[in-house]
Amino acid sequence: MSFKKIALAMLMVACLVAPAFAQRDTVSLNTIITKTGKFAYSYPIEKVYLHLDKPYYSAGDTIWFKAYVTMDKHMPTLLSKIVYVDIATNQDSMVKVLKLPVDKGMAHGNIILTPELFKQGNYHIRAYTAYMRNFETDYFFNKNIAIGNAIQNAVNANIIYNVSNATDKQKISAAITYKQPGEPALANKRVNWTITTPTGDEISKGKSSTDPNGLINIVLNENTTASLKNATLTTSIELGNRKESLNRFALNSAISQRDVQFFPEGGELTLGIRSKVAFKAVSHNGLGINIKGTVTDNTGAVVANLESQHLGMGIFALMPEDGKTYKANVTFSDGLKVTYDMPRIKPAGVAMALYNNDTDNVTIKITANDPYFKANQGKAYYVIVQNGGNIYFAAQTILQTPVYTASIPKSKFPTGVMQLTLFSERGIALSERIFFVKHNDMLNLMLTPDRKTYGVRQKVKLSVLAKNNGLPVAGDFSVSVIDETKVPSDENTETTIFSNLLLSSEIKGYIEQPNYYFASKDENTDANLDILMLTQGYRRISYRNILTGKFPQIYLFPEQSGLSVEGMLRNNTGMPIAKGNIRMQVGNKSQLFETVTDMTGNFKFTDLNYPDSAQIVLNARNNVNSKNLMISVATDTYQLPSKNPYMLDEVTDIDSTIKPLLANSKKQYDNLHILKEVVIKSTSLVKKPSHSDYPSLTALPMLADQAIPGERFKDCPNLYTCLPGMLMGVVADNTALYFSKNISNPNRKQIQIFINGRPMDYNYLNTVRGMDVENIELFKTDGLSNINKNYDSEGIISIITKKIEGTKISLAQLQEMLPKGNLLTYNAQGYSVAREFYSPKYDLLKQGGAFGGDLRSTIYWSPKVKTDKVTGTTFIEFFNSDSKGTYRATIEGMDADGNLGRYIIRYTVK
């Protein structure tokens, strides 16, 4: 936010005061405005949105995406030149991390879903900048993606949790169905199961056999329900010939209780003031559930009726009376009846109500009850409306009558979430309310096909038109065309540029079906959106922290110079070398750079461009006494895995939910006629490396508590990022690893790390690439080794890296090859190389292959569709596949002024 905008916000105090508010320029109001504006200027908000080519995928697919990186009312960012995209399993184990260059707020890339790496399940994809890591991960781009796998001959398990209240103790059970792709249900198979805590401790275990439908039932809470929190259910099904298949299920959703929460408008109920009360009812799976019921007072009289109107949400009015208490008597859709106490009632207070049903204005009503009015008559009050620290309305009034009403033109606000706050003259927030302003000001985007219907393999030409307020605009867009026969979807549940940048990225907490509020033609959509505003929390701006000067700590600054390499040059006594010469070579392309250290020995190379895992060579030999110099370099830090805020979007029955895509994926794989080659080289067994190969670790227990083969880390950029998510019951905190059961213990001890038998600290793992790992073992106890005593640790991690075979060399050759302090070589994570989407070109007069072989589900993808400023037009061309049915084309993007656009068309292929 510029200083010009801050001045404009100040001007609003004088210009935008509604009629019912008296103008009175006070220091208190100016202080709130000035400090809020300063906060917005000092801490600009960046957002990232990913446009994906499909809503879900199958193994063997490629995720194609475009990143839109924005700031300040969706303008293309001027802060960050690098965006990060990563994908993790639903067990928070990192699978892939991409680093992409940002050009004018845009970036694009892809993730190849190799069948061996991406097993069937739900995955968490995130996108963020380094600067965004200073704030909560909830404000990253977060999305749950279901990935099916019909290629690997693995067992797919679908779990459904059931809760019964038939006895005094609530019974929680799991019904699990086992299938194999393309095969009938796995009937009469033996299943072993265990329930373990996050630290790996066993709660319970048992055995069962599948019925003719491949189903088993397990009672989960034979012990206590509380013990299931963060627990994992692991099942092993025996398939014959000593072959087993493991499936793991997180049990948090199993113990979730159905619940109803109540949200008085403005935050609290006030005695004698009629207020709106929103509510949200959720079922055991955390999703909205329909309810109906009544609100009664302590005499049993019904004072309000309630009934949910959308996804378990609804609203009613209540005026609390003196001496009375209130309860909500709720009946769930399955007939269960529960009674809830209503929120507490303030005996004296002021309430704020907002009415957003008028097309042109927002109406604010401020009501003080009698005790509060008598105690505060004549005092000043302030009203501020802001988004992201940008103030769009500021006014003040004197409490002269118990009720004030004012209208504010909606033209003062941009489209999106607005935060309305009522302050006392001391700057204390008395009441708060968020509301959504929806203008008809989005880009007018259109895709126009050159035909009404098409044939298979026929060329399609789509004309693109972009306008804003009737005038053509230059825009940057991405276009996806998918075969809806293979990828059916629900538009309401999709993540779009509207639902993300305007809604999800503004509000903390899970939003069910966010695109419903933009795509639905329901006449009640806007009313349901207002109820959503009443039930969700807004946490980006805390006035209390702003006014007291408690600003967030910034430890990562925006990466404005792209890729960089920085470090320090010292002599062998540790003293920094000023004006020292540093040379750098990047990769094998002979990219050579030179720089000079500053007065404190620091150096930095900026605006670099090199691919992932590029070799960097730093050389300080062109200095006096270079043999006595040492180079150190600052390694990259990576964002640790975080909980998926959209975990409730997980698909429990992937086989059935995305069945058309999985069937198509299997056909594509079978058409390749791939035979797995088996080469027998020897009948002797090859000993695998283990901790026992190193003298310092031989006294550890023979069997590790956890053992992970190195192949699971092959796509990991470094172990610092991936290791905590791969090890069960291990968390990272303050640059060390701990068992999660000890994380809250002030006397906790860290886990000691060994690499090839040598002790290392956790930060060193930044330099260890996943592809270099042979295996990793975790030990909870140290056996007879006394390692925990010697290192004041609790637990040991042994990491063994792959050995490089070589020929024997002389001592002189070895000394020459040993790294010198004035020469540093390491592998750095550069930009991920984005592939180009392959779109075949067909000549119907010269067919080069049999029809039926082109089974693409994504027909076309382009992240580089740009319209010109003069006409606002462009066009794209591609060829259909061999599949008949309905194809859906989606275009999303924005112009240089931050105006958003999205448009969908469908066409038929016969």
Side-chain angles (χ1 to χ4, degrees):
M1 184 177 180
S2 66
F3 286 112
K4 181 178 179 181
K5 290 181 180 176
I6 296 176
L8 181 62
M10 297 288 295
L11 184 62
M12 290 180 183
V13 179
C15 299
L16 302 182
V17 178
F21 293 98
Q23 291 185 341
R24 177 181 154 195
D25 190 15
T26 65
V27 175
S28 296
L29 181 57
N30 287 340
T31 298
I32 297 173
I33 295 172
T34 302
K35 287 190 174 183
T36 304
K38 181 179 179 181
F39 176 86
Y41 177 79
S42 303
Y43 301 91
I45 293 173
E46 269 192 323
K47 299 180 184 180
V48 181
Y49 165 68
L50 294 187
H51 178 198
L52 308 182
D53 64 306
K54 288 197 290 277
Y56 50 84
Y57 298 85
S58 64
D61 266 347
T62 297
I63 299 177
W64 302 95
F65 64 84
K66 180 172 182 178
Y68 294 87
V69 190
T70 70
M71 61 175 289
D72 190 21
K73 289 189 271 186
H74 320 305
M75 296 285 289
T77 186
L78 300 175
L79 293 178
S80 299
K81 294 299 176 70
I82 299 176
V83 65
Y84 298 83
V85 178
D86 61 39
I87 186 169
T89 68
N90 63 350
Q91 298 295 318
D92 301 324
S93 175
M94 194 62 66
V95 184
K96 191 81 171 177
V97 179
L98 305 182
K99 183 187 288 188
L100 300 166
V102 175
D103 181 23
K104 297 178 181 177
M106 312 294 170
H108 67 275
N110 56 272
I111 301 173
I112 301 174
L113 304 177
T114 55
E116 296 78 16
L117 187 61
F118 287 89
K119 308 301 181 185
Q120 180 157 303
N122 290 277
Y123 290 78
H124 176 199
I125 190 167
R126 301 184 303 183
Y128 50 90
T129 64
Y131 173 70
M132 291 170 64
R133 292 173 57 192
N134 294 294
F135 311 101
E136 294 179 82
T137 59
D138 294 76
Y139 296 115
F140 290 1
F141 174 86
N142 292 284
K143 180 176 173 60
N144 183 81
I145 294 181
I147 299 176
N149 193 328
I151 298 174
Q152 296 291 306
N153 191 25
V155 172
N156 298 328
N158 172 46
I159 189 168
I160 298 175
Y161 299 113
N162 297 302
V163 179
S164 172
N165 296 285
T167 60
D168 293 338
K169 179 181 178 181
Q170 192 177 57
K171 179 180 177 182
I172 304 174
S173 61
I176 308 175
T177 305
Y178 296 89
K179 296 179 182 178
Q180 281 185 296
E183 301 292 335
L186 293 171
N188 304 316
K189 300 295 182 182
R190 182 168 176 157
V191 178
N192 298 295
W193 58 269
T194 59
I195 299 176
T196 54
T197 65
T199 60
D201 297 326
E202 187 178 279
I203 297 176
S204 59
K205 62 180 179 180
K207 300 177 181 178
S208 186
S209 294
T210 59
D211 67 12
N213 296 316
L215 175 70
I216 65 167
N217 282 285
I218 301 173
V219 178
L220 301 175
N221 60 334
E222 289 291 340
N223 297 324
T224 61
T225 302
S227 65
L228 297 180
K229 185 176 182 180
N230 298 322
T232 301
L233 170 65
T234 303
T235 69
S236 171
I237 183 169
E238 299 178 3
L239 303 178
N241 298 324
R242 301 178 63 84
K243 180 182 178 183
E244 295 185 355
S245 179
L246 291 175
N247 295 93
R248 291 183 173 88
F249 309 95
L251 294 182
N252 273 341
S253 57
I255 62 174
S256 299
Q257 302 293 316
R258 68 179 73 193
D259 189 29
V260 182
Q261 292 180 296
F262 298 91
F263 306 89
E265 185 173 26
E268 294 179 291
L269 290 171
T270 304
L271 186 66
I273 300 177
R274 184 179 177 86
S275 299
K276 288 178 281 189
V277 180
F279 62 86
K280 184 175 183 179
V282 294
S283 62
H284 295 293
N285 60 10
L287 300 178
I289 184 174
N290 289 329
I291 62 169
K292 60 181 180 180
T294 59
V295 177
T296 55
D297 61 20
N298 51 325
T299 68
V302 175
V303 296
N305 293 300
L306 61 89
E307 184 172 2
S308 56
Q309 58 192 61
H310 179 66
L311 299 175
M313 294 180 290
I315 192 170
F316 61 89
L318 179 66
M319 189 174 73
E321 296 181 19
D322 192 18
K324 291 188 177 181
T325 58
Y326 301 89
K327 294 181 181 293
N329 311 292
V330 172
T331 301
F332 289 89
S333 56
D334 60 359
L336 179 67
K337 296 183 178 181
V338 182
T339 298
Y340 298 91
D341 291 328
M342 293 298 295
R344 75 179 188 92
I345 301 169
K346 290 193 302 181
V350 59
M352 181 175 62
L354 180 141
Y355 302 92
N356 194 20
N357 52 353
D358 183 70
T359 304
D360 300 321
N361 299 290
V362 172
T363 300
I364 301 172
K365 181 180 179 182
I366 300 174
T367 306
N369 67 1
D370 189 57
Y372 188 88
F373 178 72
K374 290 178 179 178
N376 295 278
Q377 187 175 7
K379 293 182 178 179
Y381 290 84
Y382 316 123
V383 172
I384 291 179
V385 181
Q386 63 85 25
N387 172 278
N390 297 309
I391 297 177
Y392 296 97
F393 177 84
Q396 64 185 43
T397 187
I398 302 299
L399 186 61
Q400 294 176 335
T401 60
V403 180
Y404 283 96
T405 301
S407 293
I408 307 172
K410 288 186 177 180
S411 59
K412 303 297 182 183
F413 310 124
T415 293
V417 177
M418 296 288 113
Q419 181 181 14
L420 167 66
T421 308
L422 173 67
F423 292 92
S424 70
E425 63 180 359
R426 296 171 56 193
I428 298 174
L430 301 175
S431 185
E432 206 159 72
R433 164 81 143 92
I434 62 174
F435 62 99
F436 197 95
V437 175
K438 187 184 288 187
H439 296 300
N440 186 24
D441 59 353
M442 301 303 173
L443 286 182
N444 184 9
L445 278 179
M446 289 190 66
L447 290 173
T448 306
D450 59 336
R451 296 172 180 268
K452 292 184 178 180
T453 61
Y454 295 88
V456 297
R457 297 198 179 186
Q458 188 170 4
K459 186 177 182 180
V460 177
K461 181 177 181 180
L462 294 180
S463 298
V464 180
L465 174 63
K467 289 184 177 182
N468 185 29
N469 293 324
L471 299 176
V473 293
D476 200 327
F477 306 100
S478 45
V479 174
S480 170
V481 182
I482 61 174
D483 181 351
E484 276 199 315
T485 307
K486 300 182 179 72
V487 193
S489 61
D490 181 357
E491 179 76 4
N492 289 339
T493 63
E494 290 194 28
T495 302
T496 71
I497 196 168
F498 294 152
S499 70
N500 180 261
L501 291 182
L502 297 177
L503 183 60
S504 303
S505 62
E506 294 284 347
I507 295 177
K508 187 176 180 180
Y510 173 74
I511 301 175
E512 188 177 352
Q513 298 185 11
N515 201 45
Y516 157 83
Y517 303 102
F518 302 92
S520 175
K521 304 301 180 184
D522 183 357
E523 62 180 7
N524 296 318
T525 301
D526 290 344
N528 292 335
L529 177 58
D530 194 53
I531 295 175
L532 175 72
M533 295 294 98
L534 286 164
T535 62
Q536 296 292 137
Y538 187 92
R539 294 293 181 271
R540 274 200 182 274
I541 299 295
S542 170
Y543 281 112
R544 178 180 296 178
N545 290 340
I546 289 175
L547 296 178
T548 57
K550 294 181 180 179
F551 295 146
Q553 182 178 357
I554 299 298
Y555 58 94
L556 288 172
F557 290 96
E559 295 175 304
Q560 295 187 319
S561 57
L563 294 177
S564 62
V565 173
E566 55 186 298
M568 178 176 283
L569 180 65
R570 298 184 178 91
N571 61 23
N572 54 13
T573 67
M575 293 296 294
I577 302 299
K579 298 184 179 181
N581 298 310
I582 299 290
R583 292 178 177 176
M584 181 176 69
Q585 177 178 338
V586 179
N588 298 322
K589 296 182 180 180
S590 298
Q591 296 185 58
L592 300 175
F593 306 89
E594 292 188 18
T595 191
V596 177
T597 61
D598 62 17
M599 297 307 295
T600 56
N602 293 302
F603 66 88
K604 186 173 184 178
F605 296 92
T606 59
D607 293 318
L608 303 175
N609 190 338
Y610 52 84
D612 200 1
S613 299
Q615 187 181 73
I616 305 291
V617 180
L618 295 169
N619 185 346
R621 291 174 176 173
N622 189 27
N623 290 281
V624 178
N625 297 322
S626 64
K627 291 183 178 181
N628 297 322
L629 300 182
M630 299 181 297
I631 301 173
S632 62
V633 66
T635 57
D636 291 336
T637 62
Y638 293 88
Q639 180 69 31
L640 294 174
S642 58
K643 291 296 181 183
N644 182 5
Y646 280 80
M647 190 180 297
L648 294 177
D649 286 339
E650 287 188 352
V651 179
T652 56
D653 188 358
I654 290 178
D655 285 329
S656 299
T657 304
I658 64 173
K659 185 177 180 179
L661 181 62
L662 290 178
N664 185 70
S665 176
K666 188 68 165 59
K667 287 180 182 179
Q668 286 180 300
Y669 182 75
D670 291 342
N671 284 354
L672 296 175
H673 300 293
I674 295 177
L675 297 177
K676 293 183 179 179
E677 181 182 9
V678 178
V679 179
I680 301 176
K681 294 183 178 180
S682 172
T683 57
S684 61
L685 297 176
V686 179
K687 181 183 180 299
K688 294 182 178 181
S690 74
H691 67 280
S692 59
D693 297 334
Y694 301 95
S696 59
L697 304 179
T698 53
L700 289 173
M702 288 298 296
L703 296 177
D705 293 288
Q706 294 181 47
I708 304 176
E711 63 183 21
R712 289 186 57 188
F713 294 89
K714 64 181 181 180
D715 289 306
C716 170
N718 62 69
L719 292 189
Y720 186 92
T721 302
C722 306
L723 189 60
M726 290 286 194
L727 293 171
M728 183 182 297
V730 173
V731 295
D733 185 56
N734 196 23
T735 67
L737 295 178
Y738 302 90
F739 287 117
S740 55
K741 65 180 180 180
N742 300 331
I743 197 65
S744 60
N745 187 345
N747 300 317
R748 63 189 180 182
K749 296 181 179 181
Q750 68 184 49
I751 302 172
Q752 180 58 47
I753 299 170
F754 288 83
I755 299 180
N756 298 328
R758 295 184 177 183
M760 299 290 180
D761 62 22
Y762 179 47
N763 281 330
Y764 183 81
L765 298 188
N766 261 317
T767 66
V768 182
R769 299 182 302 174
M771 66 177 66
D772 297 329
V773 174
E774 183 70 38
N775 62 51
I776 296 178
E777 297 171 297
L778 170 68
F779 300 86
K780 294 180 180 178
T781 59
D782 59 358
L784 303 175
S785 66
N786 285 326
I787 290 177
N788 284 335
K789 181 179 180 181
N790 295 337
Y791 290 91
D792 194 27
S793 60
E794 182 175 350
I796 296 96
I797 294 174
S798 170
I799 301 171
I800 299 176
T801 59
K802 295 176 181 177
K803 294 182 179 179
I804 302 176
E805 299 294 335
T807 57
K808 293 183 178 180
I809 59 175
S810 66
L811 178 60
Q813 289 174 315
L814 177 62
Q815 290 175 338
E816 182 65 26
M817 293 174 60
L818 288 174
K820 307 297 190 299
N822 57 17
L823 183 70
L824 178 64
T825 302
Y826 70 102
N827 289 303
Q829 184 186 10
Y831 291 134
S832 301
V833 179
R835 295 168 58 204
E836 290 295 325
F837 180 84
Y838 172 69
S839 183
K841 296 181 180 180
Y842 294 121
D843 187 340
L844 293 178
L845 299 178
K846 299 178 181 180
Q847 286 297 331
F851 283 96
D854 186 350
L855 299 173
R856 290 171 291 148
S857 56
T858 297
I859 307 301
Y860 178 78
W861 164 258
S862 175
K864 302 176 182 179
V865 178
K866 297 183 179 183
T867 56
D868 66 79
K869 187 175 182 179
V870 177
T871 65
T873 63
T874 187
F875 68 89
I876 57 175
E877 293 180 329
F878 56 90
F879 289 81
N880 295 322
S881 70
D882 287 337
S883 299
K884 300 177 182 179
T886 301
Y887 289 16
R888 186 182 79 163
T890 304
I891 182 170
E892 289 190 335
M894 62 178 62
D895 64 12
D897 295 324
N899 297 303
L900 310 178
R902 174 179 165 88
Y903 187 74
I904 294 175
I905 65 161
R906 290 173 172 84
Y907 65 88
T908 303
V909 178
K910 296 183 178 179

